[in-house]
Amino acid sequence: MDTTESKDIKVLTMRERLELCAPFNLFFTTIPEEPKTTGYNCIAFPDLICPSLGILEKSLQINFMLDIDWLIDQYEVHNLHTTPITVIWGRELVEDMSEYISETYPNVKTHKVTMENPFGLHHSKIGIYKFGDDTIRIVISSANLYFQDWNRYNQGLWMSPPLPKMAASKHDFDCAGPTDFKIDLLTYLESYNINVLTEWIQLIKRADFSSVKVYFICSIPGNHHPGSKSSHFHRVGDILSKQCSLPSETGHDPEGALSWGIIAQASSLGLFGDNLGHWLEPILMRALSSHQASPYNKRAPRNPTLSLIYPTDQNVENSIFGRSGGCCLPYKMNINEKQEWLRDYLHVWKADNTGRSEVMPHIKSYMRVSPCLTKLAWCLITSGNISKAAWGCYPNRYGGSYIRSYEAGVMFLPHMFDDDKSKQSIYLTISLLTIEYKFRFYMSTKYMPPY
């Protein structure tokens, strides 16, 4: 991955970073203690509101964990701490957060999401920013809103291009973009049914999303059925079934699509049952292994290779921050002991090429990679861990599944970024997406018990 020296990074504006990272607009967190994480595609929170993007008028933060004092400090870097901010969150870091915010920060509107299911989380990480030129930008990330998430863990973020206001003659659902990102985002926001989101829903309705080429992937608590756009299981499976094309069997590639392995990496693993068939195969594998010749609504007779990346105890011990670096990894030993069969699918975290091996990952990424490890069929960056709460419970006889948590992510499909239709490629090279550190060594070392 190309990086720049620390002295050069200080003069790069966010607009310049976006130009360098176009067209994918995919970024990772800068870790102050690791100089190798200061490349042009490595950012801190204040970069999201950098003046080079325009004059920020107001912003919306939808997240899981919130430290409001830290968040306001980030805005103050650019003297934007008194601008209107709306914050929707799921878990308080201190008691009586709403009361504290109303007394301390009069410019901040708040809403704490209460989950009906005790095992569900308000886990999405979304930012929406309104600028003085009537454009908005959307940010989808894996980072909570507090110091450790932005300074000590590997995180992934996608930022949209500037989305201009539509002409008055346009209807609200016009200019939804080639992936219907606008419509899917509106469906997600409207599901909250809360007043503090009304102005933001109206802004999005009047915005032009024609330049957005990624898919919005979300989960909303409740029962979902095939065709649902509000379930990671159904939405990812449906998109890949319609949009993902993989090689057929040939003399050079006797296994065809099956030779393209699935890699899943997250900061938390759930309890999956006694074997692969209890949940991983009927939900996660069924969705991620889908493609045009093998849709997710029909179970395939064979599955591609599944490799799960999760840090080991040694990874944590050798990290920059020692055992405290494992605080973002809540996969406990007692859960591990209940599913020892999972060890056959687990691989260590290793990121030497980008200097991130000693920084623990809170990012969640899923992808399908070629046998030569040089191309991707697709990639998903999301808040959703490898869990039933995020992806859905075991499907019922009608293909329905129950979701417990709110989640949000973006999916990259290579043909959406190919402007030359006569040479359209169905693959995306690793170097273009700049996320090689998560799977370059995925077959190198077997699993060790986690922290």
Side-chain angles (χ1 to χ4, degrees), residues 116-129:
E116 293 185 5
N117 189 299
F119 299 102
L121 299 173
H122 181 258
H123 204 241
S124 303
K125 285 91 176 172
I126 302 173
I128 304 179
Y129 303 88

Side-chain angles (χ1 to χ4, degrees), residues 153-207:
Y153 307 138
N154 287 310
Q155 308 281 5
L157 307 94
W158 170 82
M159 175 176 270
S160 76
L163 309 175
K165 187 176 181 179
M166 295 189 303
S169 59
K170 296 286 187 179
H171 297 291
D172 285 349
F173 297 100
D174 288 345
C175 304
T179 67
D180 279 343
F181 191 106
K182 175 180 179 176
I183 294 173
D184 296 342
L185 178 60
L186 282 170
T187 299
Y188 175 85
L189 294 177
E190 289 172 344
S191 73
Y192 285 96
N193 194 28
I194 53 178
N195 292 333
V196 295
L197 281 179
T198 300
E199 63 179 309
W200 292 100
I201 289 171
Q202 292 304 313
L203 278 173
I204 291 168
K205 284 182 177 180
R206 301 310 303 165

Side-chain angles (χ1 to χ4, degrees), residues 37-55:
T37 65
T38 56
Y40 62 84
N41 60 349
C42 304
I43 62 173
F45 186 95
D47 292 313
L48 302 178
I49 51 177
C50 176
S52 66
L53 301 176
I55 300 173

Side-chain angles (χ1 to χ4, degrees), residues 389-429:
W391 285 84
C393 298
Y394 190 92
N396 61 31
R397 60 187 296 187
Y398 304 108
S401 183
Y402 181 72
I403 293 287
R404 296 174 183 151
S405 295
Y406 287 94
E407 307 284 0
V410 289
M411 174 170 273
F412 300 81
L413 281 154
H415 67 272
M416 300 302 300
F417 297 90
D418 195 334
D419 295 325
D420 187 349
K421 298 301 180 183
S422 65
K423 297 180 180 179
Q424 187 179 83
S425 170
I426 63 170
Y427 311 127
L428 193 61
T429 64

Side-chain angles (χ1 to χ4, degrees), residues 291-311:
H291 56 97
Q292 289 175 347
S294 181
Y296 87 107
N297 58 0
K298 296 180 181 179
R299 289 199 177 185
R302 297 171 61 196
N303 289 317
T305 301
L306 172 65
S307 299
L308 305 178
I309 296 178
Y310 199 82

Side-chain angles (χ1 to χ4, degrees), residues 212-228:
V212 177
K213 298 181 179 181
V214 298
Y215 286 86
F216 180 69
I217 308 295
C218 74
S219 283
I220 298 172
N223 289 301
H224 298 275
H225 302 281
S228 170

